[in-house]
Amino acid sequence: MNFEYHKSVIFRLGRFSHVRGPGVYLTIPIIDQIKQVDRRTITVDIESQDTFNN
């Protein structure tokens, strides 16, 4: 698994606190919540669309 793109967002009492990279860090149980985020770019092919020119 490639942890280069993973970040952890820390919420303290439901409000944004800070962002941490991969690694070991301490949090306060019950008070802190951690959400894992994958920051890789996802590309999707879409059909071409008609445009209106004035």
Side-chain angles (χ1 to χ4, degrees):
M1 184 173 252
N2 189 353
F3 294 106
E4 180 180 347
Y5 299 104
H6 290 201
K7 298 285 182 183
S8 296
V9 179
I10 310 296
F11 294 94
R12 180 159 289 161
L13 297 174
R15 301 185 86 186
F16 172 78
S17 179
H18 51 274
V19 177
R20 297 286 179 139
V24 178
Y25 42 89
L26 298 175
T27 59
I28 302 170
I30 300 174
I31 294 176
D32 290 341
Q33 295 178 358
I34 302 172
K35 300 292 182 183
Q36 297 290 328
V37 178
D38 186 1
R39 296 188 50 204
R40 286 182 275 198
T41 302
I42 299 173
T43 59
V44 179
D45 292 331
I46 60 171
E47 298 178 15
S48 62
Q49 299 177 359
D50 294 333
T51 58
F52 295 103
N53 294 329
N54 290 337

